[in-house]
Amino acid sequence: MIETILSNIALIIGTTLMYSTPLIYTSLGGVLSENSGVINIGLEGMMVIGAFAGAAIGYFVGDPWIAFIGAGIAGGLFGLLHAFACVTFGANQVVSGIAINFLGAGIALFLSRMFFEGATMTKSIPLDNKMPRPLNGVFPDGSLLNIIFDNQYATVYLALLMVLIIWFFMYKTKYGLRLRSVGEHPTAADTLGINVMRIRYLSVIMSGVFAGFGGAAMSLAIVSNFRPTLVSGHGFIALAAMIFGKWKPQGALLACLLFGGAQGLAVFLGQFDFEISTQLISMLPYVITIVVLIGFVGKSAAPSADGIPYEKEHKY
Amino acid sequence: MKLTFKDLRKKLYIFATEKTIGFTLISIFLGLVVGAIFLAAAGFNPFQAYWVMLRGIFAKPSYMSYTIIRATPLILTGLSIAFAFKTGLFNIGAEGQFIIGSVAATATGYFLHLPLLIHIPVVVISAVLAAGIWGGIAGYFKAKFGVHEVISTIMLNWIALYFQNFLIYTKGFQKPGGETSYSIQPTANMMILKTWKQSEAGREWLLQHPFWKDLLRTPMNWGFVIAILMAILVWFILNKTALGYRLRAVGFNKFAAEYGGINVNKNMIISMFIAGALAGLAGALQVVGVSHKVTLIAAMEGYGFDGIAVALIANSNALGCILAGLLFGALKYGGTKIQMFPVKAPSEVINIVIGSIVFFISIPKLIKVILSRKNKKGSTK
């Protein structure tokens, strides 16, 4: 009895990790961009282009890591575009982000039709060329650790590692301090000799890179191809997780795990022959998120200069 | 008076930077240029593609009718988002509010049996109320608990989507053997001349009048007229009423509004209610006018997200939403034509065009910089 309960919990933990991973990468991207003072509502579009680039490169080249990096570069290019508008030209950041979402979806599907004989779905990557599963078969069959880790792709561990790295970078290094100071008070940072423009550029580009990773974590690991409905809103959920996590990497991680956990629970409950419809169970992650927001989180505060374009020469 | 080249440049500069319409038109033009570059890079003839698209929008009465039918829900979701923008809220939830509206319309359209002239108003009003409440929930969460409306509306979108799918699998609502609901009663159908079109006399008359025959081939309905009336109403509420003044004051400066004695929380809820109602109306009109039922949806259909772009292109102007919605409807409908022979280009280029238009709209400074450099070179100073 206890064993079944434990193995079920292990199963839920496993699916939680799997579903949280793409969200973790993408919301880390959001953390970087917004802490430097640039709202990034374009995460969805960057994720879509990353998912496509990952699947397409994975299919043509065959190496999952090259594909993963390629996805990061593709996302980073969109980050560059967003930075170009927001940092150089003081764009309305929400508007630019919405534009990125349309461009990401449009360009991904356009390229898919060009490279995959008119199909909006890329061809499947052979199993051997998908992301490796480092702990596959390491633990004995049927053990709890095996249930949790057996099928986890390398992207899962890398995501957790990235949270640690970003946290360390933001709060323990001088570059992280600079990044945060640019997002809180760019004028003060500028007087201290920090190059506001450069830091914002780098942050927004890295934000795109991470969102691209997030997309590839779906198309190279969870599934093995790109299709128009693959990302469908996960970028927005990652955005929500980032706000939910109060603009901090560790907070975003927890929010993503909560969401992935609710999704894992939904998948777990879905396998039983309940009288409850699977459609209602699928609502669970979204309902839980709202309930948690209402009950426990309260008001969240964005970095002070988030969303405000910075101009060096103020006319007072 | 002689018009020199320099004057022309100056005029262009003023047109592009000081009048928002001029700036919007230039952004649209540049968006089409970007689309053309993508088409050309992929080996298609962009002029041919755009020509086919243009013909596909205007060449036949039925094409224009389809364009208008496509534009109708986008005008309304655009209005929904523009309205919320004006009051300082970002309504990403138009998508879900649209779903709630269409579900409510289908339910009241199918289950209720009412006389012809009463049924449609009942269906539409109940859908509008349901979606208004759905939107109001997000406003309430924000006012009462400080939950960011972007998060709550994103979550509510998905809850609405699964709710619709849940109902479609519910006995009594699901049409046996399909993944759709039952169709609404004929009394709730808003298609123009629906019964006459299929009657003996109607068919004969149409046979002799090819223009009308082609036009009435489409599910033409009163939705577009309602959408235009709504745009005027929204413009009126925002600009000519005390409620609109309060809502805009809250959007402009929350703290100043509060200081001036305006109940900010109440106005946030009202604003989200109205935004939800507008998106719900879009869903309701889609059901009574075009689809007559709801079907299983695997992913977001995009009425709400497209509405964001409509609102942005319209610069959150209520009347601008009509034009932006028509542009969007035309691009979307015309875009399907380039997928076919003879162009056979990916219709997704439309999303690239739309994305580029929105992108250029986000950076008015870019156009200013380009034109002012030219101005400087042109001037002798």
Side-chain angles (χ1 to χ4, degrees):
Chain A
M1 181 62 195
I2 290 175
E3 257 177 38
T4 6
I5 292 175
L6 281 179
S7 67
N8 279 338
I9 290 175
L11 197 74
I12 294 174
I13 293 175
T15 31
T16 300
L17 286 174
M18 186 177 96
Y19 283 121
S20 310
T21 300
L23 298 176
I24 293 173
Y25 285 109
T26 311
S27 61
L28 280 180
V31 166
L32 284 175
S33 170
E34 306 231 354
N35 274 287
S36 79
V38 179
I39 290 178
N40 192 349
I41 232 166
L43 288 172
E44 171 87 10
M46 297 172 181
M47 222 177 153
V48 173
I49 201 74
F52 168 75
I57 298 172
Y59 175 77
F60 286 117
V61 177
D63 184 287
W65 291 108
I66 292 177
F68 193 68
I69 291 167
I73 293 173
L77 286 174
F78 275 69
L80 178 67
L81 192 66
H82 191 47
F84 174 72
C86 298
V87 183
T88 306
F89 286 102
N92 181 328
Q93 301 173 356
V94 172
V95 184
S96 167
I98 296 290
I100 298 279
N101 287 338
F102 277 97
L103 286 171
I107 292 176
L109 293 175
F110 188 90
L111 292 178
S112 175
R113 285 199 197 269
M114 297 317 302
F115 287 108
F116 293 89
E117 293 128 32
T120 52
M121 213 164 116
T122 66
K123 290 207 174 100
S124 284
I125 302 164
L127 277 182
D128 292 340
N129 293 346
K130 280 177 72 171
M131 276 285 159
R133 290 174 291 178
L135 298 181
N136 182 258
V138 170
F139 301 107
D141 250 2
S143 71
L144 293 181
L145 288 174
N146 192 54
I147 297 175
I148 299 178
F149 295 112
D150 189 39
N151 273 320
Q152 303 294 0
Y153 295 94
T155 38
V156 174
Y157 310 106
L158 188 65
L160 299 174
L161 185 68
M162 284 296 175
V163 177
L164 203 66
I165 292 174
I166 297 289
W167 172 82
F168 186 83
F169 166 78
M170 275 183 61
Y171 300 104
K172 303 290 169 192
T173 68
K174 64 177 181 190
Y175 300 104
L177 182 65
R178 285 178 188 171
L179 185 145
R180 286 183 293 134
S181 70
V182 162
E184 284 292 340
H185 203 314
T187 322
D190 199 359
T191 14
L192 292 173
I194 295 171
N195 189 335
V196 176
M197 299 296 185
R198 192 170 70 197
I199 287 192
R200 285 196 171 172
Y201 251 94
L202 288 174
S203 306
V204 178
I205 292 171
M206 281 315 289
S207 156
V209 170
F210 272 93
F213 286 162
M218 298 184 105
S219 65
L220 281 169
I222 297 179
V223 296
S224 50
N225 67 352
F226 169 82
R227 54 190 99 121
T229 55
L230 179 64
V231 176
S232 79
H234 275 80
F236 282 106
I237 290 168
L239 179 79
M242 188 266 313
I243 299 173
F244 193 176
K246 302 199 170 179
W247 282 268
K248 292 184 172 67
Q250 66 273 29
L253 169 71
L254 290 178
C256 293
L257 285 176
L258 170 84
F259 193 82
Q263 231 171 347
L265 192 65
V267 171
F268 174 73
L269 292 175
Q271 63 182 334
F272 296 108
D273 252 349
F274 281 146
E275 284 300 301
I276 318 168
S277 117
T278 50
Q279 304 297 334
L280 288 185
I281 293 172
S282 306
M283 283 183 197
L284 212 59
Y286 311 97
V287 175
I288 290 177
T289 305
I290 288 186
V291 170
V292 171
L293 273 173
I294 290 171
F296 306 102
V297 179
K299 279 198 167 74
S300 36
S304 309
D306 200 11
I308 306 163
Y310 180 66
E311 282 181 74
K312 217 176 162 82
E313 299 132 50
H314 270 299
K315 288 178 192 122
Y316 292 105
Chain B
M1 212 181 83
K2 211 174 73 182
L3 193 72
T4 63
F5 190 53
K6 203 174 88 190
D7 287 339
L8 206 69
R9 261 188 194 154
K10 215 173 239 167
K11 280 225 166 84
L12 183 68
Y13 180 76
I14 291 168
F15 178 70
T17 54
E18 280 167 28
K19 289 182 191 151
T20 43
I21 291 202
F23 170 64
T24 308
L25 288 178
I26 288 186
S27 300
I28 291 168
F29 173 73
L30 289 176
L32 288 168
V33 170
V34 172
I37 292 171
F38 268 88
L39 285 170
F44 303 104
N45 180 349
F47 296 103
Q48 187 199 19
Y50 283 155
W51 177 243
V52 166
M53 214 164 95
L54 211 60
R55 275 187 53 84
I57 298 164
F58 292 108
K60 277 186 188 176
S62 61
Y63 293 171
M64 284 192 266
S65 173
Y66 274 122
T67 299
I68 286 171
I69 290 167
R70 282 278 180 113
T72 303
L74 300 177
I75 293 172
L76 285 164
T77 51
L79 274 177
S80 159
I81 288 143
F83 188 87
F85 268 145
K86 283 275 181 189
T87 56
L89 295 167
F90 189 14
N91 180 23
I92 295 193
E95 194 77 39
Q97 294 145 10
F98 180 96
I99 294 174
I100 294 297
S102 51
V103 165
T106 310
T108 48
Y110 170 65
F111 287 116
L112 296 180
H113 293 267
L114 294 169
L116 187 65
L117 285 173
I118 302 170
H119 203 167
I120 293 176
V122 167
V123 164
V124 170
I125 289 168
S126 51
V128 162
L129 284 179
I133 292 169
W134 195 255
I137 290 174
Y140 178 77
F141 286 165
K142 173 143 188 161
K144 178 94 180 171
F145 306 105
V147 177
H148 205 301
E149 79 275 12
V150 166
I151 312 185
S152 58
T153 50
I154 288 173
M155 299 300 150
L156 287 168
N157 282 346
W158 287 94
I159 296 172
L161 183 143
Y162 287 115
F163 180 65
Q164 169 166 334
N165 287 351
F166 163 70
L167 284 181
I168 278 166
Y169 283 126
T170 304
K171 234 183 179 173
F173 195 67
Q174 178 183 20
K175 195 175 176 184
E179 289 185 326
T180 72
S181 69
Y182 279 109
S183 290
I184 53 174
Q185 306 296 338
T187 44
N189 193 321
M190 206 178 47
M191 215 185 269
I192 290 173
L193 300 173
K194 187 177 181 270
T195 36
W196 180 79
K197 268 199 283 192
Q198 282 148 3
S199 73
E200 195 70 32
R203 282 213 298 248
E204 203 153 290
W205 190 86
L206 286 175
L207 217 57
Q208 284 156 10
H209 298 79
F211 175 86
W212 292 102
K213 187 181 179 215
D214 189 56
L215 189 68
L216 289 174
R217 227 158 44 98
T218 67
M220 205 169 72
N221 63 79
W222 295 106
F224 183 61
V225 178
I226 297 173
I228 288 180
L229 291 177
M230 278 300 137
I232 295 169
L233 183 68
V234 165
W235 176 85
F236 185 81
I237 290 176
L238 276 175
N239 295 301
K240 300 286 166 193
T241 65
L243 171 71
Y245 175 77
R246 285 197 295 271
L247 290 171
R248 281 187 297 133
V250 171
F252 194 67
N253 187 334
K254 213 162 70 172
F255 303 105
E258 186 137 43
Y259 188 71
I262 294 171
N263 185 339
V264 170
N265 284 347
K266 196 178 109 189
N267 277 291
M268 271 192 307
I269 299 174
I270 293 175
S271 169
M272 283 305 289
F273 177 88
I274 295 176
L278 286 165
L281 178 62
L285 293 180
Q286 193 70 9
V287 168
V288 294
V290 184
S291 63
H292 311 309
K293 61 184 179 218
V294 283
T295 42
L296 193 76
I297 31 181
M300 296 292 171
E301 290 174 294
Y303 290 108
F305 293 115
D306 290 349
I308 298 176
V310 169
L312 293 176
I313 293 173
N315 195 22
S316 298
N317 178 306
L319 302 178
C321 283
I322 301 175
L323 297 175
L326 278 172
L327 171 75
F328 223 106
L331 285 173
K332 287 240 151 180
Y333 177 66
T336 58
K337 302 284 171 86
I338 62 170
Q339 188 102 10
M340 296 178 253
F341 184 81
V343 187
K344 288 188 169 172
S347 61
E348 280 79 14
V349 74
I350 293 308
N351 275 344
I352 300 178
V353 171
I354 290 165
S356 307
I357 295 173
V358 177
F359 185 75
F360 287 116
I361 279 178
S362 80
I363 41 173
K365 246 171 119 186
L366 176 73
I367 293 174
K368 253 184 206 177
V369 166
I370 294 170
L371 288 174
S372 68
R373 266 200 199 134
K374 275 187 183 165
N375 261 352
K376 267 178 208 157
K377 271 184 215 159
S379 68
T380 45
K381 273 179 204 170

PDB file of all heavy atoms in Angstrom, chain A residues 9 24 39 50 98 111 123 133 143 151 164 166-167 191 208 213 247 284 298-299:
ATOM      1  N   ILE A   9       3.740   8.885  -6.049  1.00  0.00           N
ATOM      2  CA  ILE A   9       4.321  10.208  -5.802  1.00  0.00           C
ATOM      3  C   ILE A   9       5.561  10.391  -6.671  1.00  0.00           C
ATOM      4  O   ILE A   9       5.759  11.446  -7.290  1.00  0.00           O
ATOM      5  CB  ILE A   9       4.671  10.381  -4.305  1.00  0.00           C
ATOM      6  CG1 ILE A   9       3.377  10.483  -3.494  1.00  0.00           C
ATOM      7  CG2 ILE A   9       5.534  11.623  -4.083  1.00  0.00           C
ATOM      8  CD1 ILE A   9       3.581  10.529  -2.002  1.00  0.00           C
ATOM      9  N   ILE A  24      10.915  26.557 -17.077  1.00  0.00           N
ATOM     10  CA  ILE A  24      12.022  27.083 -16.270  1.00  0.00           C
ATOM     11  C   ILE A  24      12.978  27.892 -17.144  1.00  0.00           C
ATOM     12  O   ILE A  24      13.326  29.033 -16.834  1.00  0.00           O
ATOM     13  CB  ILE A  24      12.778  25.941 -15.558  1.00  0.00           C
ATOM     14  CG1 ILE A  24      11.858  25.295 -14.510  1.00  0.00           C
ATOM     15  CG2 ILE A  24      14.049  26.457 -14.888  1.00  0.00           C
ATOM     16  CD1 ILE A  24      12.420  24.052 -13.861  1.00  0.00           C
ATOM     17  N   ILE A  39      10.613  44.859 -20.372  1.00  0.00           N
ATOM     18  CA  ILE A  39       9.515  43.887 -20.337  1.00  0.00           C
ATOM     19  C   ILE A  39       9.629  42.974 -21.549  1.00  0.00           C
ATOM     20  O   ILE A  39       9.885  43.435 -22.658  1.00  0.00           O
ATOM     21  CB  ILE A  39       8.159  44.622 -20.370  1.00  0.00           C
ATOM     22  CG1 ILE A  39       7.945  45.349 -19.050  1.00  0.00           C
ATOM     23  CG2 ILE A  39       7.014  43.656 -20.639  1.00  0.00           C
ATOM     24  CD1 ILE A  39       6.658  46.136 -18.989  1.00  0.00           C
ATOM     25  N   GLY A  50      12.551  28.979 -31.162  1.00  0.00           N
ATOM     26  CA  GLY A  50      13.523  28.042 -30.589  1.00  0.00           C
ATOM     27  C   GLY A  50      13.081  26.596 -30.798  1.00  0.00           C
ATOM     28  O   GLY A  50      13.889  25.737 -31.150  1.00  0.00           O
ATOM     29  N   ILE A  98       4.663  41.945 -28.431  1.00  0.00           N
ATOM     30  CA  ILE A  98       3.548  41.344 -29.178  1.00  0.00           C
ATOM     31  C   ILE A  98       3.976  41.112 -30.620  1.00  0.00           C
ATOM     32  O   ILE A  98       3.680  40.068 -31.222  1.00  0.00           O
ATOM     33  CB  ILE A  98       2.308  42.266 -29.126  1.00  0.00           C
ATOM     34  CG1 ILE A  98       1.799  42.412 -27.689  1.00  0.00           C
ATOM     35  CG2 ILE A  98       1.205  41.760 -30.035  1.00  0.00           C
ATOM     36  CD1 ILE A  98       1.160  41.206 -27.098  1.00  0.00           C
ATOM     37  N   LEU A 111       9.234  29.029 -42.410  1.00  0.00           N
ATOM     38  CA  LEU A 111      10.442  28.232 -42.661  1.00  0.00           C
ATOM     39  C   LEU A 111      10.115  26.737 -42.684  1.00  0.00           C
ATOM     40  O   LEU A 111      10.671  25.974 -43.485  1.00  0.00           O
ATOM     41  CB  LEU A 111      11.502  28.521 -41.603  1.00  0.00           C
ATOM     42  CG  LEU A 111      12.119  29.922 -41.651  1.00  0.00           C
ATOM     43  CD1 LEU A 111      13.115  30.110 -40.523  1.00  0.00           C
ATOM     44  CD2 LEU A 111      12.795  30.177 -43.005  1.00  0.00           C
ATOM     45  N   LYS A 123       9.662  16.998 -39.604  1.00  0.00           N
ATOM     46  CA  LYS A 123       9.761  15.539 -39.531  1.00  0.00           C
ATOM     47  C   LYS A 123      10.371  15.133 -38.189  1.00  0.00           C
ATOM     48  O   LYS A 123      11.186  15.838 -37.615  1.00  0.00           O
ATOM     49  CB  LYS A 123      10.640  15.037 -40.670  1.00  0.00           C
ATOM     50  CG  LYS A 123       9.973  15.196 -42.020  1.00  0.00           C
ATOM     51  CD  LYS A 123      10.491  14.147 -43.010  1.00  0.00           C
ATOM     52  CE  LYS A 123       9.725  14.219 -44.298  1.00  0.00           C
ATOM     53  NZ  LYS A 123      10.437  14.949 -45.356  1.00  0.00           N
ATOM     54  N   ARG A 133      19.343  10.690 -22.130  1.00  0.00           N
ATOM     55  CA  ARG A 133      18.769  10.565 -20.781  1.00  0.00           C
ATOM     56  C   ARG A 133      19.862  10.034 -19.865  1.00  0.00           C
ATOM     57  O   ARG A 133      20.089   8.821 -19.796  1.00  0.00           O
ATOM     58  CB  ARG A 133      17.574   9.622 -20.812  1.00  0.00           C
ATOM     59  CG  ARG A 133      16.377  10.223 -21.533  1.00  0.00           C
ATOM     60  CD  ARG A 133      15.270   9.243 -21.690  1.00  0.00           C
ATOM     61  NE  ARG A 133      15.642   8.184 -22.631  1.00  0.00           N
ATOM     62  CZ  ARG A 133      14.860   7.158 -22.938  1.00  0.00           C
ATOM     63  NH1 ARG A 133      13.677   7.053 -22.364  1.00  0.00           N
ATOM     64  NH2 ARG A 133      15.259   6.251 -23.792  1.00  0.00           N
ATOM     65  N   SER A 143      12.763   0.861  -8.544  1.00  0.00           N
ATOM     66  CA  SER A 143      13.071   1.696  -7.391  1.00  0.00           C
ATOM     67  C   SER A 143      12.486   3.089  -7.608  1.00  0.00           C
ATOM     68  O   SER A 143      12.223   3.504  -8.737  1.00  0.00           O
ATOM     69  CB  SER A 143      14.580   1.793  -7.187  1.00  0.00           C
ATOM     70  OG  SER A 143      15.147   2.586  -8.207  1.00  0.00           O
ATOM     71  N   ASN A 151      13.509   8.439 -17.072  1.00  0.00           N
ATOM     72  CA  ASN A 151      13.165   8.998 -18.380  1.00  0.00           C
ATOM     73  C   ASN A 151      13.446  10.477 -18.517  1.00  0.00           C
ATOM     74  O   ASN A 151      12.990  11.107 -19.464  1.00  0.00           O
ATOM     75  CB  ASN A 151      11.687   8.747 -18.672  1.00  0.00           C
ATOM     76  CG  ASN A 151      11.498   7.385 -19.316  1.00  0.00           C
ATOM     77  OD1 ASN A 151      12.297   6.988 -20.167  1.00  0.00           O
ATOM     78  ND2 ASN A 151      10.483   6.667 -18.882  1.00  0.00           N
ATOM     79  N   LEU A 164      20.487  27.786 -10.747  1.00  0.00           N
ATOM     80  CA  LEU A 164      21.559  28.032  -9.783  1.00  0.00           C
ATOM     81  C   LEU A 164      22.552  29.059 -10.330  1.00  0.00           C
ATOM     82  O   LEU A 164      22.950  30.007  -9.640  1.00  0.00           O
ATOM     83  CB  LEU A 164      22.267  26.706  -9.493  1.00  0.00           C
ATOM     84  CG  LEU A 164      23.008  26.620  -8.167  1.00  0.00           C
ATOM     85  CD1 LEU A 164      22.015  26.672  -7.019  1.00  0.00           C
ATOM     86  CD2 LEU A 164      23.844  25.342  -8.110  1.00  0.00           C
ATOM     87  N   ILE A 166      22.127  31.309 -12.734  1.00  0.00           N
ATOM     88  CA  ILE A 166      21.540  32.650 -12.870  1.00  0.00           C
ATOM     89  C   ILE A 166      21.384  33.300 -11.492  1.00  0.00           C
ATOM     90  O   ILE A 166      21.633  34.496 -11.314  1.00  0.00           O
ATOM     91  CB  ILE A 166      20.169  32.582 -13.574  1.00  0.00           C
ATOM     92  CG1 ILE A 166      20.319  32.048 -15.000  1.00  0.00           C
ATOM     93  CG2 ILE A 166      19.495  33.947 -13.594  1.00  0.00           C
ATOM     94  CD1 ILE A 166      20.978  32.987 -15.960  1.00  0.00           C
ATOM     95  N   TRP A 167      20.966  32.494 -10.517  1.00  0.00           N
ATOM     96  CA  TRP A 167      20.832  33.038  -9.163  1.00  0.00           C
ATOM     97  C   TRP A 167      22.183  33.556  -8.674  1.00  0.00           C
ATOM     98  O   TRP A 167      22.292  34.675  -8.178  1.00  0.00           O
ATOM     99  CB  TRP A 167      20.304  31.952  -8.218  1.00  0.00           C
ATOM    100  CG  TRP A 167      20.324  32.395  -6.783  1.00  0.00           C
ATOM    101  CD1 TRP A 167      19.395  33.155  -6.145  1.00  0.00           C
ATOM    102  CD2 TRP A 167      21.350  32.113  -5.811  1.00  0.00           C
ATOM    103  NE1 TRP A 167      19.764  33.381  -4.849  1.00  0.00           N
ATOM    104  CE2 TRP A 167      20.960  32.754  -4.608  1.00  0.00           C
ATOM    105  CE3 TRP A 167      22.547  31.389  -5.851  1.00  0.00           C
ATOM    106  CZ2 TRP A 167      21.742  32.685  -3.446  1.00  0.00           C
ATOM    107  CZ3 TRP A 167      23.318  31.320  -4.697  1.00  0.00           C
ATOM    108  CH2 TRP A 167      22.906  31.961  -3.512  1.00  0.00           C
ATOM    109  N   THR A 191      25.368  57.161 -13.955  1.00  0.00           N
ATOM    110  CA  THR A 191      26.325  58.087 -13.328  1.00  0.00           C
ATOM    111  C   THR A 191      27.524  57.355 -12.752  1.00  0.00           C
ATOM    112  O   THR A 191      28.607  57.918 -12.642  1.00  0.00           O
ATOM    113  CB  THR A 191      25.685  58.897 -12.176  1.00  0.00           C
ATOM    114  OG1 THR A 191      24.464  58.293 -11.829  1.00  0.00           O
ATOM    115  CG2 THR A 191      25.475  60.323 -12.568  1.00  0.00           C
ATOM    116  N   GLY A 208      16.280  35.966 -24.901  1.00  0.00           N
ATOM    117  CA  GLY A 208      15.858  35.226 -26.086  1.00  0.00           C
ATOM    118  C   GLY A 208      16.531  33.865 -26.165  1.00  0.00           C
ATOM    119  O   GLY A 208      15.895  32.867 -26.533  1.00  0.00           O
ATOM    120  N   PHE A 213      16.014  28.029 -25.711  1.00  0.00           N
ATOM    121  CA  PHE A 213      16.284  26.751 -25.021  1.00  0.00           C
ATOM    122  C   PHE A 213      14.972  26.122 -24.555  1.00  0.00           C
ATOM    123  O   PHE A 213      14.760  24.913 -24.689  1.00  0.00           O
ATOM    124  CB  PHE A 213      17.173  26.978 -23.786  1.00  0.00           C
ATOM    125  CG  PHE A 213      18.619  27.258 -24.094  1.00  0.00           C
ATOM    126  CD1 PHE A 213      19.450  27.829 -23.139  1.00  0.00           C
ATOM    127  CD2 PHE A 213      19.157  26.932 -25.334  1.00  0.00           C
ATOM    128  CE1 PHE A 213      20.781  28.086 -23.413  1.00  0.00           C
ATOM    129  CE2 PHE A 213      20.493  27.183 -25.618  1.00  0.00           C
ATOM    130  CZ  PHE A 213      21.309  27.769 -24.659  1.00  0.00           C
ATOM    131  N   TRP A 247       9.829  38.065 -10.011  1.00  0.00           N
ATOM    132  CA  TRP A 247      10.969  38.497 -10.841  1.00  0.00           C
ATOM    133  C   TRP A 247      12.307  37.940 -10.349  1.00  0.00           C
ATOM    134  O   TRP A 247      13.354  38.498 -10.629  1.00  0.00           O
ATOM    135  CB  TRP A 247      11.007  40.034 -10.897  1.00  0.00           C
ATOM    136  CG  TRP A 247      10.004  40.622 -11.834  1.00  0.00           C
ATOM    137  CD1 TRP A 247      10.205  40.935 -13.144  1.00  0.00           C
ATOM    138  CD2 TRP A 247       8.653  40.962 -11.572  1.00  0.00           C
ATOM    139  NE1 TRP A 247       9.060  41.433 -13.696  1.00  0.00           N
ATOM    140  CE2 TRP A 247       8.097  41.470 -12.766  1.00  0.00           C
ATOM    141  CE3 TRP A 247       7.830  40.873 -10.437  1.00  0.00           C
ATOM    142  CZ2 TRP A 247       6.778  41.903 -12.852  1.00  0.00           C
ATOM    143  CZ3 TRP A 247       6.513  41.307 -10.535  1.00  0.00           C
ATOM    144  CH2 TRP A 247       6.006  41.811 -11.728  1.00  0.00           C
ATOM    145  N   LEU A 284      -6.903  22.010 -13.891  1.00  0.00           N
ATOM    146  CA  LEU A 284      -6.298  22.051 -12.564  1.00  0.00           C
ATOM    147  C   LEU A 284      -5.086  22.990 -12.441  1.00  0.00           C
ATOM    148  O   LEU A 284      -5.056  23.844 -11.559  1.00  0.00           O
ATOM    149  CB  LEU A 284      -5.927  20.626 -12.148  1.00  0.00           C
ATOM    150  CG  LEU A 284      -5.997  20.306 -10.665  1.00  0.00           C
ATOM    151  CD1 LEU A 284      -7.399  20.550 -10.135  1.00  0.00           C
ATOM    152  CD2 LEU A 284      -5.608  18.844 -10.437  1.00  0.00           C
ATOM    153  N   GLY A 298       0.054  37.480  -3.015  1.00  0.00           N
ATOM    154  CA  GLY A 298      -0.201  38.901  -2.839  1.00  0.00           C
ATOM    155  C   GLY A 298       0.442  39.737  -3.917  1.00  0.00           C
ATOM    156  O   GLY A 298       0.807  39.236  -4.969  1.00  0.00           O
ATOM    157  N   LYS A 299       0.573  41.012  -3.612  1.00  0.00           N
ATOM    158  CA  LYS A 299       1.083  41.932  -4.627  1.00  0.00           C
ATOM    159  C   LYS A 299       2.543  41.631  -4.934  1.00  0.00           C
ATOM    160  O   LYS A 299       3.334  41.355  -4.049  1.00  0.00           O
ATOM    161  CB  LYS A 299       0.966  43.360  -4.113  1.00  0.00           C
ATOM    162  CG  LYS A 299      -0.418  43.915  -4.272  1.00  0.00           C
ATOM    163  CD  LYS A 299      -0.396  45.438  -4.180  1.00  0.00           C
ATOM    164  CE  LYS A 299      -1.703  46.021  -4.640  1.00  0.00           C
ATOM    165  NZ  LYS A 299      -2.800  45.862  -3.724  1.00  0.00           N
TER     166      LYS A 299
END
